[in-house]
Amino acid sequence: MQLYNYFRSSASFRVRIALELKGLPYDYVPVHLVKGEQKQDAYAAVSASRLVPTLVTDGGERLAQSMAIIEYLDETHPEPALLPADALGRAHVRALAQLIACEIHPLNNLRVLKYLVRDLKVEEEAKNAWYRHWVRDGLEILERELAQLPPSTFCYGDTPSLADCCLVPQIFNGKRFNVDFSGLPRTMAAFDACMAHPAFQRAQPSSCPDNEA
Ligand SMILES: N[C@@H](CCC(=O)N[C@@H](CS)C(=O)NCC(=O)O)C(=O)O
């Protein structure tokens, strides 16, 4: 398999975590987002959306969207499972994952932040305030959701799930923008549990071949 991705991309990081949790080898193909490589011909031929990640399967199929890719990996390589065996559990995990991937992340994507600054002429500090507001707001919602679930080591249960694949990159991203993580005990405990796990360590930006210190 090949993963077109970028060390700092949250959506790419989600897929790297899933690949590492499942122990699946892959070729790392870097796409430098800040240099705009996602819009150049080479990657446009791979990705209709010009977004990372793209997973190319051993059979040559190109897959987009991190959540769809992770569910594909979970179905084709079921151990360890990233979704619970029961329907209710799966609904809870998908709800947590989608809260991060669909409610928080899209508001803070590179192209959205660029549009604020370049087209709407928003000042850098106002852009950062936008970022911090929406990440903090989303994490407070996540914390309230987690508080309604039974105690657990990870976001849901005592093994990492799709929700943890989404949580960790969002926290890494928030750290870069100095988001306030105080008063989020369940969220940060799940993050800490993940970061004590070798698969999350191997997937993190500083372990990537294209990492820029
Ligand atoms: N919903 C998509 C989001 C993909 C996405 O937004 N990727 C970002 C990096 S995290 C990207 O490629 N941004 C390039 C750009 O904004 O030009 C997924 O989960 O894969």
Side-chain angles (χ1 to χ4, degrees):
M1 285 185 283
Q2 289 179 305
L3 184 68
Y4 287 80
N5 76 128
Y6 180 57
F7 75 105
R8 225 172 237 155
S9 148
S10 300
S12 302
F13 190 178
R14 292 174 200 151
V15 176
R16 294 198 303 267
I17 293 167
L19 287 163
E20 292 292 348
L21 283 168
K22 290 179 178 293
L24 297 172
Y26 63 96
D27 292 334
Y28 189 111
V29 187
V31 180
H32 201 298
L33 298 189
V34 177
K35 290 183 184 162
E37 286 180 0
Q38 72 276 29
K39 299 193 186 103
Q40 293 169 6
D41 290 349
Y43 189 60
V46 173
S47 165
S49 68
R50 280 94 159 138
L51 298 172
V52 290
T54 297
L55 183 81
V56 182
T57 68
D58 289 336
E61 284 288 328
R62 289 191 291 261
L63 300 179
Q65 291 292 336
S66 60
M67 309 278 272
I69 294 170
I70 293 172
E71 292 224 20
Y72 165 80
L73 292 172
D74 208 36
E75 288 174 20
T76 52
H77 301 84
E79 297 299 328
L82 299 180
L83 286 165
D86 62 304
L88 267 179
R90 287 196 294 279
H92 281 305
V93 167
R94 287 187 177 119
L96 296 171
Q98 288 174 25
L99 169 52
I100 298 164
C102 307
E103 307 288 341
I104 303 177
H105 178 257
L107 290 169
N108 302 297
N109 199 354
L110 180 63
R111 60 194 176 139
V112 171
L113 299 181
K114 271 189 178 165
Y115 182 73
L116 286 175
V117 173
R118 283 194 193 160
D119 296 78
L120 301 184
K121 310 294 178 207
V122 168
E123 297 290 336
E124 189 69 15
E125 193 38 50
K127 179 202 80 176
N128 291 340
W130 161 286
Y131 180 96
R132 283 192 284 267
H133 170 79
W134 289 116
V135 175
R136 175 74 201 184
D137 183 68
L139 291 178
E140 286 177 4
I141 297 170
L142 179 72
E143 183 68 25
R144 293 198 293 275
E145 294 285 0
L146 292 174
Q148 291 177 12
L149 294 169
S152 59
T153 306
F154 294 95
C155 281
Y156 187 87
D158 293 327
T159 55
S161 71
L162 174 66
D164 301 290
C165 294
C166 293
L167 173 66
V168 166
Q170 189 58 65
I171 299 293
F172 265 69
N173 212 302
K175 285 186 178 192
R176 287 182 50 227
F177 284 82
N178 298 318
V179 170
D180 174 15
F181 296 122
S182 62
L184 303 169
R186 285 281 300 258
T187 304
M188 297 313 289
F191 173 76
D192 290 341
C194 289
M195 291 316 297
H197 193 299
F200 287 81
Q201 291 283 335
R202 285 194 296 270
Q204 67 181 314
S206 61
S207 301
C208 291
D210 58 341
N211 173 56
E212 294 160 12

